[in-house]
Amino acid sequence: MEWYSAPGKVILYGEHFVVYGNRAVLCAINRRVQVSAVPRSDDIISIQSDVASTRYSMNDYATIDPALAPLRHIAESRCPGGVDIHVRSEIPPGAGLGSSSACCVAAAAAVSPKQSPPRSVLALALDAERTIHPNSSGADCAASTYGGIIEYSKESPKPVWRRPPDTMRLVVADSGAEHSTARMVETVARFARDNPERFDTMKDMADSLAGLALSSMDAGDIHTLGRLASQNQSLLEDIGVSNDTMRDMIHIADRHSYGSKITGAGGGGCIVAITDGSNSGRTASALESAGYHAFEVSADAAGVNPL
Ligand code: MEV
């Protein structure tokens, strides 16, 4: 049985605004999802994962756990005789660390012909992700497919690699509250509908923050990267994807790091703090002491690959 593995991600700058065509900067992280797909010839689709499992005949209409809709799409569109899919994950679900997109990417690779180009794996993974998140920008699946630090935009979906500053350390803390990306994207859509001019201004600000972050990354300027994360957080507050728990975590992280922000859709899930070797440990310990699970992640240069 051949397993494929794909990394999760943190969004360093530009989540939500990327849905409206902005640039976002993402970092694939060293927490991965592994998927195997073994074709069958009896029309049975079997999916086993920690989140949910199912087994049904393709000839019957089957109601399945909505969380499995992306894998169902992949199985039914690419495995005409049925398939056994197994999923193993090191990434907590609903935490904003890209578990479901990494699962889509690894599964797309597992059912695709060997040596398929990344762009065709990404296209299938994105079709699958859109079964539960119809407005997905594709940013998460792109980070998971290509790995490393990428600049991504919907208009030019070929992500551009960046080199992270050697000294940069990323501390992630988990609020423990699961969130729904689709619901948070809808919250922002409502804000944009109700405040069109304000949203346009904020969108421009978010795009220039992403641009500045890319040049600060090239210059290895961690202090500025932290400051830009905090400015990005203010925009996320304004569009309504933060809450008291996230603010508490940000407040703690900002006392020790160079800056921090929600990563991903918000409304729960994780924050990410920009640090280096001098303050990463302190940042994580302060968050842990306040009761939040905190850990360091590093950039994973490897995108989707066979195990
Ligand atoms: C979710 O990880 C990122 C969002 O920007 C949604 C998207 O890009 O599709 C909130």
Side-chain angles (χ1 to χ4, degrees):
M1 171 175 350
E2 189 160 23
W3 289 82
Y4 280 77
S5 160
K9 64 79 188 62
V10 288
I11 300 189
L12 295 176
Y13 307 92
E15 54 272 271
H16 286 294
F17 297 99
V18 67
V19 174
Y20 297 85
N22 268 18
R23 287 173 285 184
V25 183
L26 295 95
C27 177
I29 58 172
N30 56 341
R31 304 273 162 133
R32 302 181 70 96
V33 174
Q34 284 134 22
V35 178
S36 73
V38 179
R40 303 175 62 116
S41 49
D42 57 3
D43 296 341
I44 297 290
I45 291 184
S46 163
I47 302 171
Q48 284 179 22
S49 78
D50 294 342
V51 175
S53 294
T54 190
R55 188 176 196 283
Y56 64 93
S57 166
M58 290 166 85
N59 303 319
D60 300 330
Y61 179 77
T63 310
I64 62 163
D65 188 313
L68 295 179
L71 290 179
R72 176 185 205 162
H73 173 87
I74 288 174
E76 291 184 2
S77 60
R78 294 301 166 97
C79 308
V83 64
D84 276 328
I85 292 180
H86 287 84
V87 180
R88 305 189 295 226
S89 177
E90 303 162 355
I91 310 172
L97 298 179
S99 69
S100 84
S101 39
C103 181
C104 290
V105 169
V111 301
S112 295
K114 278 192 173 45
Q115 317 293 340
S116 291
R119 68 169 186 287
S120 73
V121 171
L122 175 57
L124 176 58
L126 191 48
D127 281 349
E129 192 190 38
R130 286 187 171 142
T131 60
I132 48 169
H133 173 20
N135 292 326
S136 171
S137 67
D140 294 8
C141 284
S144 189
T145 302
Y146 291 97
I149 290 192
I150 60 162
E151 171 190 352
Y152 176 87
S153 79
K154 269 195 330 192
E155 271 71 32
S156 53
K158 187 170 172 8
V160 184
W161 270 66
R162 316 300 288 213
R163 196 181 144 68
D166 290 338
T167 53
M168 185 171 80
R169 306 256 188 285
L170 298 173
V171 173
V172 168
D174 192 347
S175 66
E178 273 196 40
H179 66 174
S180 150
T181 298
R183 213 166 33 241
M184 297 319 292
V185 167
E186 184 45 42
T187 300
V188 177
R190 214 174 309 119
F191 178 91
R193 265 196 312 273
D194 294 346
N195 308 275
E197 280 167 22
R198 186 155 168 236
F199 188 73
D200 271 357
T201 310
M202 293 165 84
K203 183 169 164 292
D204 288 348
M205 284 164 73
D207 200 60
S208 50
L209 283 180
L212 285 169
L214 290 165
S215 45
S216 307
M217 208 162 269
D218 293 343
D221 182 350
I222 295 183
H223 287 80
T224 301
L225 287 169
R227 191 167 43 75
L228 294 168
S230 297
Q231 289 172 8
N232 194 153
Q233 175 59 21
S234 301
L235 295 174
L236 294 173
E237 289 284 346
D238 289 348
I239 58 175
V241 300
S242 191
N243 59 33
D244 288 346
T245 308
M246 313 308 289
R247 277 188 283 279
D248 184 46
M249 296 165 83
I250 300 276
H251 183 65
I252 296 165
D254 283 354
R255 284 210 296 267
H256 303 280
S257 66
Y258 299 117
S260 65
K261 61 180 275 295
I262 287 168
T263 181
C270 291
I271 65 155
V272 60
I274 309 288
T275 67
D276 61 15
S278 73
N279 55 6
S280 57
R282 264 186 297 133
T283 305
S285 314
L287 286 156
E288 282 279 342
S289 305
Y292 301 112
H293 179 42
F295 48 95
E296 223 183 273
V297 295
S298 52
D300 193 336
V304 62
N305 57 21
L307 275 188

